[in-house]
Amino acid sequence: MNTTCSLLLSTLLASSLISGHAAAQGAEWVTNGSFTGTLAPWTLGGAYSVNPGLESGWDTTGFGVSDCYGVNAGGQVTPAPYPPNWVEQQILVIQGLTYEFRCDASGSRPGAPTVGNADIGTVYVEVDNVEVARHAFGSYVASPTGTIKRAQLCGRFTPTTTGQVTLRIYTERRFLGGAANPRMNIDNVSVIDVSGPTYWVAGNRQIGGSVTHSVRGTPNALFGTVVALGENLTGIPFPGVTGLFLLDPLSAVTLQIGVLDAAGESDTPMTLPNNQLFTTIPLYHQAGMIDLAPSLGLHFGIFATP
């Protein structure tokens, strides 16, 4: 573990000794967020789309093929605009708790990979009719083997009600929908109640392109982000620190140390190196935060795309 990363974790530990308590991260509230073998209990709705439903054998994340939800969004007849379609389920939330939504998404054109297109589409997410995350893929670039844009959608929210509410994932496209037009896929949908910071890499993860390292947490809190070449699913506990350190400690390095703004936000643009190595080796990320009590957020792993 490098010196800066050790310093960050030492600071978390020192703060924990002052605060003197820790809490565990919460439970998963989404059922079948991996769409394994079936869409149930997800249901479909909304406007026109082509071939929406369970899809097997698609690599949404870059980690390998799996079951997922796929859809060719868009309109049926001109003129635009074209209302979105959606997939949804009911989840239980508790007023005042902080939740983290996360999912993986990809956009491509498997029906006509050698033909470019102005718009793959947009995915956005609402919980109880409040938007919590959004990603627009932008245009599709023609490729002999098929270009795939991969992204994370992530958001942090605090419900104002307690009970069963609707988690709805929308897909929309500005042009007509069809089997040969761009298709979007969604996988690994998650809603977890959390006490640490929320961290994700926003944007299309194409080498040479720009992404944004986004952190959300307590306003004005000190935070740090760490990246590693592997994960440690056993986890390393620190007395008094909420959460576990879930990255490989031998390869972990600190990306950033900073202070969240008055809204509890930090967005840092970064350029992905234009190196094919990053399309074959995943990077694992995690953030920590020092507030009334020190905490570690949930970790995640991502591949870049060519």
Side-chain angles (χ1 to χ4, degrees), residues 86-239:
W86 64 72
V87 59
E88 68 179 22
Q89 69 169 264
Q90 299 295 301
I91 62 171
L92 176 65
V93 297
I94 299 174
Q95 180 180 359
L97 289 185
T98 299
Y99 293 83
E100 177 177 310
F101 169 87
R102 190 183 298 267
C103 78
D104 294 301
S106 71
S108 188
R109 195 175 189 180
T114 60
V115 182
N117 194 274
D119 182 37
I120 293 174
T122 297
V123 183
Y124 63 98
V125 183
E126 290 182 354
V127 178
D128 198 17
N129 298 308
V130 177
E131 184 173 319
V132 299
R134 175 180 289 260
H135 177 72
F137 284 103
S139 62
Y140 173 78
V141 178
S143 166
T145 57
T147 300
I148 302 177
K149 289 186 174 182
R150 294 188 171 99
Q152 292 181 315
L153 280 81
C154 190
R156 186 179 177 94
F157 64 97
T158 302
T160 58
T161 61
T162 296
Q164 295 286 331
V165 299
T166 300
L167 165 64
R168 178 176 289 177
I169 303 174
Y170 292 89
T171 52
E172 65 179 9
R173 185 170 171 271
R174 294 176 291 150
F175 302 99
L176 295 176
N181 289 332
R183 184 169 178 84
M184 291 174 280
N185 292 81
I186 297 165
D187 204 357
N188 304 317
V189 182
S190 173
V191 173
I192 297 178
D193 50 297
V194 294
S195 51
T198 297
Y199 173 33
W200 74 100
V201 177
N204 297 314
R205 301 191 303 269
Q206 293 179 292
I207 55 173
S210 179
V211 294
T212 300
H213 287 250
S214 296
V215 182
R216 301 290 184 267
T218 304
N220 304 312
L222 177 69
F223 77 93
T225 60
V226 181
V227 64
L229 293 175
E231 56 186 341
N232 174 11
L233 293 180
T234 301
I236 301 173
F238 291 90

Side-chain angles (χ1 to χ4, degrees), residues 36-52:
T36 302
T38 178
L39 279 187
W42 297 93
T43 58
L44 306 181
Y48 175 80
S49 64
V50 175
N51 298 327

